């Protein structure tokens, strides 16, 4: 319940697409670091101690290659995803492939025209609102910013929402991925501030 204000943990991880030099790094992080950390510090029941897993994009190397999802995303994260809900947004590696939207049933509370279902959405969990945003080409549109403003206004007026987190793939000003920098993400940040 939103009004419960129950304490919970969130896992946020991005860009776990498989690297040629380190093909097992995602699985290693999940199985050798994340899960033992949660179990050592909170207890063995992941579903009790993790509210959700948020992924702001690049789950796989090429979203249109159907088989890569099972082998490079779902299998390495199996021991986490079997117990914890996943709330992703597409990155540039997923592009706008139908496979991403076939694998995930995201909240249907974004702009509900034929072009936008599940591209942006929000989920309330306890006293936290998680917002998923789409920053790929073709979705950097004013209608998403207008929707975001409405969702933020609603959260500000809701006495049960104390925290708002947003996830978007492309950075505004990054030192590591300069080519991915977007003024659109700056517009999102301005609204969040």
């Amino acid at each position: 319940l939103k009004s419960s204000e129950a304490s919970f943990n969130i896992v946020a991880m991005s860009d776990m697409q498989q690297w040629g030099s380190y093909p097992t790094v995602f699985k290693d992080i999940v199985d050798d670091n994340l899960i033992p950390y949660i179990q050592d510090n909170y207890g063995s029941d992941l579903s009790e101690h993790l509210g959700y897993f948020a992924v702001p994009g690049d789950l796989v190397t090429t979203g249109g290659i159907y088989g890569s999802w099972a082998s490079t995303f779902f299998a390495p994260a199996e021991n986490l995803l079997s117990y914890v809900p996943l709330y992703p947004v597409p990155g540039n590696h997923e592009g706008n492939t139908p496979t991403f939207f076939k694998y995930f049933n995201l909240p249907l509370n974004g702009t509900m025209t034929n072009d936008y279902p599940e591209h942006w959405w929000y989920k309330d969990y306890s006293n936290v609102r998680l917002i998923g945003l789409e920053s790929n080409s073709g979705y950097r549109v004013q209608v998403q910013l207008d929707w975001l403003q409405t969702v933020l206004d609603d959260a500000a007026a809701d006495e049960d929402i104390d925290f708002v987190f947003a996830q978007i793939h492309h950075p505004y000003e990054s030192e590591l991925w300069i080519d991915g920098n977007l003024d659109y993400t700056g517009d999102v940040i301005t609204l969040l501030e």
Side-chain angles (χ1 to χ4, degrees):
L1 293 173
K2 276 196 313 184
S3 61
S4 71
E5 295 193 18
S7 178
F8 68 97
N9 297 296
I10 300 168
V11 173
M13 194 179 313
S14 180
D15 293 81
M16 66 276 298
Q17 74 268 23
Q18 194 173 48
W19 294 357
S21 302
Y22 305 100
T24 65
V25 70
F26 178 40
K27 181 172 180 46
D28 295 344
I29 289 170
V30 169
D31 291 343
D32 299 339
N33 296 284
L34 175 65
I35 291 174
Y37 177 83
I38 295 298
Q39 291 173 335
D40 291 347
N41 290 282
Y42 300 99
S44 61
D45 187 349
L46 293 176
S47 64
E48 183 179 327
H49 301 292
L50 286 175
Y52 49 81
F53 178 23
V55 182
D58 287 359
L59 291 73
V60 296
T61 302
T62 307
I65 301 176
Y66 178 79
S68 73
W69 285 86
S71 63
T72 67
F73 181 74
F74 290 114
E78 178 181 13
N79 294 326
L80 177 63
L81 295 176
S82 297
Y83 302 98
V84 179
L86 169 65
Y87 292 100
V89 297
N92 57 299
H93 282 263
E94 285 81 34
N96 190 28
T97 59
T99 307
F100 178 90
F101 297 99
K102 287 179 184 176
Y103 272 126
F104 305 109
N105 288 314
L106 298 167
L108 293 173
N109 52 19
T111 305
M112 295 305 297
T113 66
N114 290 339
D115 296 332
Y116 304 128
E118 296 182 285
H119 285 272
W120 47 88
W121 48 266
Y122 72 90
K123 174 70 177 170
D124 293 337
Y125 188 98
S126 185
N127 60 338
V128 176
R129 175 162 290 175
L130 174 66
I131 301 172
L133 299 166
E134 168 77 73
S135 60
N136 284 307
S137 181
Y139 297 96
R140 302 168 195 155
V141 292
Q142 186 63 43
V143 68
Q144 181 176 197
L145 296 174
D146 294 343
W147 172 87
L148 176 60
Q149 184 64 65
T150 300
V151 169
L152 292 171
D153 290 346
D154 177 69
D158 189 329
E159 65 184 38
D160 293 327
I161 299 296
D162 296 317
F163 304 97
V164 174
F165 295 107
Q167 59 178 351
I168 188 168
H169 184 69
H170 293 81
Y172 176 48
E173 293 182 353
S174 169
E175 293 178 1
L176 297 176
W177 186 33
I178 295 168
D179 291 343
N181 289 344
L182 291 181
D183 288 340
Y184 187 82
T185 301
D187 295 339
V188 168
I189 291 168
T190 298
L191 291 176
L192 290 167
E193 290 175 339

